[in-house]
Amino acid sequence: MVIVSWCRVAVTAALVLALAGCGGPDDKTPHQGSETPKPMTVRVATTDSITSLDPAGPYDIASRTVQANLYQTLLTILPGKPTPVPDAADCQFDSPTTYTCSLKEGLVFPNGHELTSSDVKFSFERLLRLKTVNSPAALFSSLTSVSTPDDLTAVFNLKRPDARLPYLLTTTAGSIVDQEFYPPNKLLDTKAMGSGPYQLAAYRPGQAVTLTRFDKYKGPRGARNDGVEITLLKDSTSLYEAITTGKADLAFHGFGPSMMNKLRTDDQVQVVESDNAAIRFYAFQLKTLTARKPAVRRAVAQLIDRPAIVKKAYGDHVSPLYSVVPPGFGGQVDAFRTEFREPNRIAAATILRQAGIAVPVPLTVGWTPVQYGTGAKNEVLELKRQLEASGLFKVTLRSAEWPQYQQLTRAGAYDLYQGGWIPRYPDVDDYLAPFVRAGAIYNNGYRSTVAAGLLEQETTEQNGLERDKLLGQLQGVLAKEAPVIPTWQGRLTVVAGKQVENVAPALNQLSFLYLSGLRLSSPR
């Protein structure tokens, strides 16, 4: 069994795909004297833009949806399981810096090559060697080497204790590839050879991906359909047409709020959604004199009305968020609700007065019109309304297109700016490190010895209860000092025809889909 000595969030069935009865008889096998069942191919449509089929390539959501279904990882996370469970291997910590994985016997790739520990070693060494743009290689920064005592044993040797490792191994970054198929020094963007529940049948970049069931897959995600055809569409109008006319069995990523409202009243489809891991926030750029004042940051945090933003800008299609860590993760606490309770003008005014800050405080707020979707403008307008209605702030809104916006946020052009984050791995650490660790992606000038110390402790803490306490304390520090203010959590929404079964378990909290559990009640 997989052994980890600390607890994790219990992932619900609405988030990750569980496949029951993987070892049972194949329900597609024709019985003697019966007709051969029709092939069950699920047609999927999305506005996603796939970057690479190579798991060592850019770590974008669109690519992960395909990779998660083509490749096998050593461990995976299933519903009701608080810790990773075996996929290709059974793993355990032998020491704080040694993690041993024992592979299942008889694993193979679709080309017939055996999958051995040598392929595991090659996969991780290749990932760390390539380090491409937006590569997930940084996830495994604690890894020094992978040794292979025999064909079925891979040993991960770490620079330092890393309690995150079992969860990192469940991501597509930890996919195992065929060392005889993949070049060691360059990406293979348009081809794939993994040992997951599907194999690649065809790929037309920018247009479509065809997957067929891989019958020799050995793991908990065996396909319950014969294959999946994924069509890549250009816009939301095409996506809406595909699902409402029956051209697609399932559609995701691309519907706007108005379209979703129409689909919810359409009795020919089912709308399935769950809170996902995407969050939005406002970050202070501490290069500016205004943002460096703790009282200014705390006063803004005291005034923000999250439910009003969610309702007015997004029609309640997202959820208010009171911590940089969303609900459902171990150690999560609503730290901003605890610190500031409800929006309160008097409390905010008191914070500024006690710090000797004259009002109204001039505040420049940055936003970008495309990267964060159609609701971004309405969101900053509502934020401006809230802050100015208090009489405590005078807000100037400034926008820029991506990537100029990124440059301006780093340069200190805004006191406060709109931001978004989707974690790279299913662990609470990836919501905290981006704001606390020096040199991290959202390095806005915030420095805290206390926060940095707590982050280091939780990363190496092996006891689950103690780690949760450290995580809660760290969220409390961020709420008190308010270098970043969380606003809302996204939802992953999938629209499917009435004939599609097992839709909810296909939704992964990191915003991609596991497709192998999908079935059609009436195959075409």
Side-chain angles (χ1 to χ4, degrees), residues 40 497-501 518-524:
M40 186 189 296
K498 291 290 189 179
Q499 79 282 9
V500 184
E501 302 173 346
L518 297 175
R519 289 183 57 80
L520 302 177
S521 58
S522 53
R524 289 176 295 279

Side-chain angles (χ1 to χ4, degrees), residues 167-180:
Y167 305 95
L168 297 175
L169 293 177
T170 69
T171 68
T172 55
S175 298
I176 307 166
V177 302
D178 181 1
Q179 64 181 326
E180 298 179 61

Side-chain angles (χ1 to χ4, degrees), residues 56-67:
Y59 198 58
D60 58 272
I61 293 174
S63 298
R64 276 186 267 173
T65 289
V66 180
Q67 294 167 9

Side-chain angles (χ1 to χ4, degrees), residues 302-374:
Q302 182 65 74
L303 290 171
I304 287 182
D305 185 340
R306 293 169 177 82
I309 289 175
V310 164
K311 183 176 184 61
K312 293 182 180 181
Y314 300 100
D316 288 323
H317 291 295
V318 297
S319 304
L321 183 64
Y322 296 89
S323 172
V324 292
V325 180
F329 286 83
Q332 191 272 350
V333 293
D334 282 345
F336 278 77
R337 191 195 295 273
T338 300
E339 183 71 22
F340 300 102
R341 301 187 182 277
E342 297 301 319
N344 189 313
R345 182 203 174 280
I346 295 176
T350 301
I351 291 171
L352 293 173
R353 185 178 64 254
Q354 290 178 345
I357 298 175
V359 297
V361 180
L363 194 71
T364 301
V365 177
W367 67 284
T368 185
V370 176
Q371 179 71 15
Y372 295 130
T374 56

Side-chain angles (χ1 to χ4, degrees), residues 32 50 61 136 138 160 182 237-238 318 358 361 398 439 441 448 453 458 478 485 487 492 512:
Q32 188 173 2
I50 297 169
I61 293 174
R160 57 185 180 277
Y182 283 81
T237 301
S238 301
V318 297
V361 180
R398 291 181 182 168
I441 187 169
S448 168
E458 65 85 5
L478 291 177
I485 302 174
T487 49
L492 176 57
F512 60 86

Side-chain angles (χ1 to χ4, degrees), residues 30-222:
H31 300 284
Q32 188 173 2
S34 65
E35 294 184 4
T36 302
K38 296 179 180 179
M40 186 189 296
T41 301
V42 180
R43 301 169 302 177
V44 174
T46 181
T47 58
D48 280 349
S49 180
I50 297 169
T51 303
S52 176
L53 301 184
D54 195 323
Y59 198 58
D60 58 272
I61 293 174
S63 298
R64 276 186 267 173
T65 289
V66 180
Q67 294 167 9
N69 291 281
L70 284 172
Y71 300 94
Q72 191 172 18
T73 50
L74 294 169
L75 304 174
T76 191
I77 295 178
L78 297 176
K81 303 292 184 181
T83 57
V85 299
D87 191 345
D90 194 4
C91 306
Q92 66 179 26
F93 276 110
D94 294 326
S95 76
T97 57
T98 305
Y99 195 65
T100 300
C101 292
S102 301
L103 293 170
K104 295 176 181 177
E105 295 184 2
L107 296 175
V108 296
F109 295 103
N111 58 10
H113 296 168
E114 292 184 5
L115 190 162
T116 69
S117 60
S118 181
D119 294 294
V120 176
K121 177 180 174 67
F122 172 83
S123 299
F124 284 91
E125 289 181 344
R126 177 175 180 265
L127 172 69
L128 296 176
R129 184 188 308 115
L130 287 174
K131 291 184 179 178
T132 55
V133 177
N134 296 323
S135 164
L139 297 180
F140 294 94
S141 60
S142 64
L143 180 63
T144 57
S145 65
V146 180
S147 53
T148 55
D150 56 57
D151 285 349
L152 296 179
T153 306
V155 180
F156 291 79
N157 305 298
L158 308 177
K159 301 174 188 175
R160 57 185 180 277
D162 191 348
R164 307 168 305 155
L165 183 60
Y167 305 95
L168 297 175
L169 293 177
T170 69
T171 68
T172 55
S175 298
I176 307 166
V177 302
D178 181 1
Q179 64 181 326
E180 298 179 61
F181 186 86
Y182 283 81
N185 296 309
K186 67 177 182 178
L187 294 177
L188 207 57
D189 290 323
T190 61
K191 298 181 181 180
M193 188 57 63
S195 57
Y198 295 100
Q199 56 186 314
L200 182 65
Y203 177 41
R204 289 176 290 153
Q207 299 181 57
V209 183
T210 303
L211 310 177
T212 55
R213 185 173 58 163
F214 179 43
D215 290 323
K216 293 185 178 181
Y217 164 72
K218 289 188 175 182
R221 301 190 187 280

